[in-house]
Amino acid sequence: MKGVALRWDTVIGILLTAVFATGLATTEGFADPGNLAFALNDVAEVALIALPMTLLVVAGQVDLSVASVLGLSSALTGALWEVGWAFELIVPVVLLAGVAGGLLNGWLVTRIGLPPLAVTIGTLALYRGLASVVLGSNAVTGFPETYARWASDTTTLPGTFLPYPVVLFLALAVVTGVVLHATALGRALFAIGAQEEAAYFAGLRVKRIKLLLFTVTGLFAAFAGIVFTLRYGSARADNGFGFEMLVIAAVLLGGVDFNGGKGTLAGAVCGVLLIGVLKNLLTLNDVANEVQVIVTGLLLVGSVLTPRAVAVAAERRHRRAAAATAAPPP
């Protein structure tokens, strides 16, 4: 099964390269640095949330409330800015709100024993409702230009086409990859996802680790809400609506097993980049948004079905070979 996961990572990397090469060969303006900066920055918030989501899914958990936390943090940013708070004070308060949302999810899962899917579907509605209470149907604009420029795709790291949110994502991806693949905590996540009960009896603090994962996910979602608000220059309660599906799609597309215990961060990063590059390429070719959604859905279904189909076929071949070996000679 591990080999299957690795091969799927390779497939996604090849597919990403193929889509990029197709864009270069067929679409005018695709390779323009400004367009590449826009394409990457357009999925910056999804990419940021996908990092802790990868850790969650590897551990056999999921958080569907992340887009609502993003919306709540955006609404809270707008409401506090509207009443005259300094932006430097708004940021830590909003991040703490994200931590609180993640803690609530984790507490309900680890202390009350509720399934994460049910919990986060409920808090998805709760946090989005709170966002509407905080800001209503208003849209708040006029955020400080210094911070707004930082989140824009027109402001890039000198000498590159990489916007600063993308640079931050890449740095955090390196840190997350080290945590997942080169630390005791990462090994614990794979153990919990593969067999939670066995991990518990092996001495791992399963509940504490899962609580930490949900908390970090809430923190990242809140930060993504701030980035989203600055990038579009508008705080609204419905910001990020539906982003949870893009995040899950990117993670699963990258070969992370929804049942837990398998996957790589590199695969998840490739999944995010593939969605971003493909979306940009389809937009440049005037493909309707509805068709883009269908393409993303097909990719997601294929990413789930293909590795499993390969694994089932390999297992059947193994059983046939074992049966042939065990069969008495005629």
Side-chain angles (χ1 to χ4, degrees), residues 224-275:
I226 296 172
V227 174
F228 189 95
T229 301
L230 292 174
R231 185 159 70 90
Y232 286 98
S234 176
R236 295 177 54 92
D238 61 353
N239 276 353
F241 186 81
F243 267 28
E244 64 277 348
M245 290 298 101
L246 285 176
V247 173
I248 295 295
V251 172
L252 298 186
L253 184 59
V256 181
D257 195 323
F258 194 70
N259 293 322
K262 301 180 185 70
T264 65
L265 189 76
V269 171
C270 285
V272 170
L273 295 177
L274 178 58
I275 288 176

Coordinates of all heavy atoms in Angstrom, one line a residue, residues 224-275:
A224 N -5.6 32.4 7.2 CA -6.0 32.4 5.8 C -7.2 33.4 5.6 O -7.3 34.1 4.5 CB -6.5 31.0 5.3
G225 N -8.0 33.6 6.6 CA -9.1 34.6 6.5 C -8.6 36.0 6.4 O -9.1 36.8 5.7
I226 N -7.5 36.3 7.2 CA -6.9 37.6 7.1 C -6.3 37.8 5.8 O -6.5 38.9 5.2 CB -5.9 37.7 8.3 CG1 -6.5 37.6 9.6 CG2 -5.1 39.0 8.1 CD1 -5.5 37.5 10.8
V227 N -5.6 36.8 5.3 CA -4.9 37.0 3.9 C -6.0 37.2 2.9 O -5.9 38.1 2.0 CB -4.1 35.7 3.6 CG1 -3.6 35.8 2.2 CG2 -2.9 35.6 4.6
F228 N -7.1 36.4 2.9 CA -8.2 36.5 1.9 C -8.8 37.9 2.0 O -9.0 38.6 0.9 CB -9.2 35.5 2.2 CG -10.3 35.4 1.2 CD1 -10.2 34.4 0.2 CD2 -11.4 36.2 1.2 CE1 -11.2 34.3 -0.8 CE2 -12.4 36.1 0.3 CZ -12.3 35.1 -0.8
T229 N -9.0 38.4 3.2 CA -9.6 39.8 3.4 C -8.7 40.8 2.8 O -9.2 41.8 2.1 CB -9.8 40.0 4.9 OG1 -10.7 39.0 5.4 CG2 -10.5 41.4 5.1
L230 N -7.4 40.8 3.0 CA -6.5 41.8 2.5 C -6.3 41.6 1.0 O -6.2 42.7 0.3 CB -5.1 41.6 3.2 CG -5.1 41.9 4.7 CD1 -3.7 41.6 5.3 CD2 -5.4 43.4 4.9
R231 N -6.3 40.4 0.5 CA -6.1 40.2 -0.9 C -7.3 40.8 -1.8 O -7.0 41.4 -2.8 CB -6.0 38.7 -1.2 CG -5.7 38.4 -2.7 CD -5.0 37.0 -2.8 NE -6.0 36.0 -2.6 CZ -6.7 35.4 -3.5 NH1 -6.6 35.8 -4.8 NH2 -7.5 34.4 -3.2
Y232 N -8.5 40.6 -1.3 CA -9.6 41.2 -2.0 C -10.0 42.6 -1.5 O -10.9 43.2 -2.1 CB -10.8 40.2 -1.9 CG -10.7 39.0 -2.7 CD1 -10.2 37.8 -2.2 CD2 -11.0 39.1 -4.1 CE1 -10.1 36.7 -3.0 CE2 -10.8 37.9 -4.9 CZ -10.4 36.7 -4.4 OH -10.2 35.6 -5.2
G233 N -9.4 43.0 -0.4 CA -9.7 44.3 0.1 C -11.2 44.5 0.7 O -11.7 45.6 0.7
S234 N -11.8 43.3 1.1 CA -13.2 43.4 1.5 C -13.4 42.3 2.5 O -13.1 41.1 2.3 CB -14.1 43.2 0.3 OG -15.4 43.1 0.7
A235 N -13.9 42.7 3.7 CA -14.3 41.7 4.7 C -15.8 41.5 4.6 O -16.6 42.4 4.7 CB -14.0 42.3 6.1
R236 N -16.2 40.2 4.4 CA -17.6 39.8 4.3 C -17.8 38.5 5.1 O -16.9 37.7 5.2 CB -18.0 39.6 2.8 CG -18.0 40.8 2.0 CD -18.3 40.5 0.5 NE -19.6 39.8 0.5 CZ -20.8 40.4 0.3 NH1 -20.8 41.7 0.2 NH2 -21.9 39.6 0.2
A237 N -19.0 38.3 5.5 CA -19.3 37.1 6.3 C -19.3 35.8 5.4 O -19.1 34.7 5.9 CB -20.7 37.2 7.0
D238 N -19.5 36.0 4.1 CA -19.5 34.8 3.2 C -18.2 34.6 2.5 O -18.1 33.8 1.6 CB -20.6 35.0 2.2 CG -20.5 36.2 1.3 OD1 -19.6 37.0 1.5 OD2 -21.3 36.4 0.3
N239 N -17.1 35.3 2.9 CA -15.8 35.1 2.3 C -15.4 33.6 2.5 O -15.6 33.0 3.6 CB -14.8 36.0 2.9 CG -14.8 37.4 2.3 OD1 -15.4 37.6 1.3 ND2 -14.0 38.3 2.8
G240 N -14.8 33.0 1.4 CA -14.3 31.7 1.5 C -15.4 30.6 1.5 O -15.1 29.4 1.7
F241 N -16.6 31.0 1.1 CA -17.7 30.0 1.1 C -17.4 28.8 0.1 O -17.0 29.0 -1.0 CB -19.0 30.7 0.6 CG -20.2 29.8 0.7 CD1 -20.9 29.6 1.9 CD2 -20.7 29.1 -0.4 CE1 -22.0 28.8 2.0 CE2 -21.8 28.3 -0.3 CZ -22.4 28.1 0.9
G242 N -17.4 27.6 0.6 CA -17.1 26.4 -0.2 C -15.7 26.0 -0.3 O -15.3 25.0 -0.9
F243 N -14.8 26.8 0.4 CA -13.4 26.5 0.3 C -13.0 25.1 1.0 O -12.0 24.5 0.6 CB -12.6 27.6 1.0 CG -12.1 28.7 0.1 CD1 -12.8 29.0 -1.0 CD2 -11.0 29.4 0.4 CE1 -12.4 30.0 -1.9 CE2 -10.6 30.4 -0.4 CZ -11.3 30.7 -1.6
E244 N -13.9 24.7 1.9 CA -13.6 23.4 2.5 C -13.5 22.3 1.5 O -12.6 21.4 1.7 CB -14.6 23.1 3.6 CG -16.0 22.8 3.1 CD -16.8 24.1 3.0 OE1 -16.3 25.1 3.4 OE2 -17.9 24.0 2.4
M245 N -14.3 22.3 0.5 CA -14.2 21.3 -0.5 C -12.9 21.3 -1.4 O -12.4 20.3 -1.7 CB -15.4 21.4 -1.5 CG -16.8 21.0 -0.8 SD -16.8 19.3 -0.2 CE -16.5 19.5 1.5
L246 N -12.5 22.6 -1.6 CA -11.2 22.7 -2.4 C -10.0 22.2 -1.6 O -9.1 21.6 -2.1 CB -11.0 24.2 -2.7 CG -11.8 24.8 -3.9 CD1 -11.6 26.2 -4.0 CD2 -11.5 24.0 -5.2
V247 N -10.1 22.5 -0.2 CA -9.0 22.0 0.6 C -9.0 20.5 0.7 O -7.9 19.9 0.5 CB -9.1 22.6 2.0 CG1 -8.1 22.0 3.0 CG2 -9.0 24.1 2.0
I248 N -10.1 19.9 0.9 CA -10.2 18.4 0.9 C -9.8 17.8 -0.4 O -9.1 16.8 -0.5 CB -11.6 18.0 1.3 CG1 -12.0 18.4 2.7 CG2 -11.8 16.5 1.2 CD1 -11.1 17.8 3.8
A249 N -10.3 18.5 -1.5 CA -9.9 18.0 -2.8 C -8.4 18.0 -3.1 O -7.8 17.0 -3.6 CB -10.6 18.8 -3.9
A250 N -7.8 19.1 -2.6 CA -6.3 19.2 -2.8 C -5.6 18.1 -2.0 O -4.6 17.5 -2.5 CB -5.8 20.6 -2.4
V251 N -6.0 17.9 -0.8 CA -5.3 16.9 0.0 C -5.5 15.5 -0.5 O -4.6 14.7 -0.6 CB -5.8 17.0 1.5 CG1 -5.3 15.8 2.4 CG2 -5.4 18.3 2.1
L252 N -6.7 15.1 -0.8 CA -7.0 13.8 -1.4 C -6.4 13.6 -2.7 O -5.9 12.5 -3.1 CB -8.5 13.5 -1.4 CG -9.2 13.5 0.0 CD1 -10.7 13.1 -0.2 CD2 -8.5 12.7 1.0
L253 N -6.5 14.6 -3.5 CA -5.9 14.6 -4.9 C -4.4 14.2 -4.8 O -3.8 13.6 -5.6 CB -6.1 15.9 -5.6 CG -5.6 16.0 -7.1 CD1 -6.3 14.9 -7.9 CD2 -5.9 17.4 -7.6
G254 N -3.7 14.7 -3.7 CA -2.3 14.5 -3.5 C -2.0 13.1 -3.0 O -0.8 12.8 -2.7
G255 N -3.0 12.3 -2.8 CA -2.8 10.9 -2.4 C -2.8 10.6 -0.9 O -2.5 9.5 -0.5
V256 N -3.3 11.6 -0.1 CA -3.5 11.3 1.3 C -4.7 10.5 1.5 O -5.8 10.9 1.0 CB -3.5 12.6 2.1 CG1 -3.7 12.4 3.6 CG2 -2.3 13.5 1.8
D257 N -4.6 9.4 2.2 CA -5.8 8.5 2.3 C -6.8 9.0 3.3 O -6.4 9.4 4.5 CB -5.3 7.1 2.8 CG -6.3 6.0 2.7 OD1 -7.5 6.3 2.9 OD2 -5.9 4.9 2.4
F258 N -8.0 9.1 2.9 CA -9.1 9.7 3.8 C -9.3 8.9 5.0 O -9.8 9.4 6.0 CB -10.4 9.8 3.0 CG -11.4 10.7 3.7 CD1 -11.2 12.1 3.7 CD2 -12.5 10.2 4.2 CE1 -12.1 12.9 4.4 CE2 -13.5 11.0 4.8 CZ -13.3 12.3 4.9
N259 N -8.9 7.6 5.0 CA -9.1 6.7 6.1 C -7.9 6.9 7.1 O -7.9 6.3 8.2 CB -9.1 5.3 5.7 CG -10.4 5.0 5.0 OD1 -11.5 5.5 5.3 ND2 -10.3 4.2 3.9
G260 N -6.9 7.7 6.7 CA -5.8 7.9 7.6 C -4.6 6.9 7.4 O -4.8 5.8 6.9
G261 N -3.4 7.3 8.0 CA -2.3 6.4 8.0 C -1.4 6.4 6.8 O -0.3 5.8 6.8
K262 N -1.8 7.1 5.7 CA -1.0 7.1 4.5 C -1.0 8.5 3.8 O -2.1 9.2 3.9 CB -1.6 6.1 3.5 CG -1.6 4.6 4.0 CD -2.2 3.7 2.9 CE -2.3 2.3 3.5 NZ -3.4 2.2 4.5
G263 N 0.1 8.8 3.2 CA 0.1 10.1 2.4 C 1.4 10.8 2.7 O 2.2 10.5 3.6
T264 N 1.7 11.8 1.8 CA 2.8 12.6 2.0 C 2.4 14.1 1.8 O 1.5 14.4 1.1 CB 3.9 12.3 0.9 OG1 3.4 12.6 -0.4 CG2 4.3 10.8 0.9
L265 N 3.2 15.0 2.4 CA 2.9 16.4 2.3 C 3.3 16.9 0.8 O 2.6 17.7 0.3 CB 3.8 17.2 3.3 CG 3.3 18.7 3.3 CD1 2.0 18.9 4.0 CD2 4.4 19.6 3.9
A266 N 4.3 16.3 0.2 CA 4.6 16.7 -1.1 C 3.5 16.4 -2.1 O 3.2 17.2 -3.0 CB 5.9 15.9 -1.6
G267 N 2.8 15.3 -1.9 CA 1.6 15.0 -2.7 C 0.5 16.0 -2.5 O -0.1 16.4 -3.5
A268 N 0.3 16.4 -1.2 CA -0.8 17.4 -1.0 C -0.4 18.8 -1.6 O -1.3 19.4 -2.2 CB -0.9 17.6 0.5
V269 N 0.9 19.1 -1.6 CA 1.3 20.4 -2.2 C 1.1 20.3 -3.7 O 0.6 21.3 -4.3 CB 2.8 20.7 -1.8 CG1 3.3 21.8 -2.7 CG2 2.9 21.0 -0.4
C270 N 1.4 19.2 -4.3 CA 1.2 19.0 -5.7 C -0.3 19.1 -6.1 O -0.7 19.6 -7.1 CB 1.8 17.7 -6.2 SG 3.6 17.6 -6.4
G271 N -1.1 18.5 -5.2 CA -2.6 18.6 -5.4 C -3.0 20.1 -5.4 O -3.9 20.4 -6.2
V272 N -2.5 20.9 -4.5 CA -2.9 22.3 -4.4 C -2.5 23.0 -5.7 O -3.2 23.7 -6.3 CB -2.3 23.0 -3.2 CG1 -2.4 24.5 -3.3 CG2 -2.9 22.5 -1.9
L273 N -1.2 22.8 -6.1 CA -0.7 23.4 -7.3 C -1.4 23.0 -8.5 O -1.7 23.8 -9.4 CB 0.8 23.1 -7.4 CG 1.7 23.7 -6.3 CD1 3.2 23.3 -6.6 CD2 1.6 25.2 -6.3
L274 N -1.8 21.7 -8.6 CA -2.5 21.2 -9.8 C -3.9 21.9 -9.9 O -4.2 22.3 -11.0 CB -2.7 19.7 -9.7 CG -3.5 19.0 -10.8 CD1 -2.8 19.3 -12.2 CD2 -3.6 17.5 -10.6
I275 N -4.6 22.0 -8.8 CA -5.9 22.7 -8.8 C -5.7 24.2 -9.3 O -6.5 24.7 -10.1 CB -6.5 22.6 -7.5 CG1 -7.0 21.2 -7.2 CG2 -7.7 23.6 -7.4 CD1 -7.6 21.0 -5.8

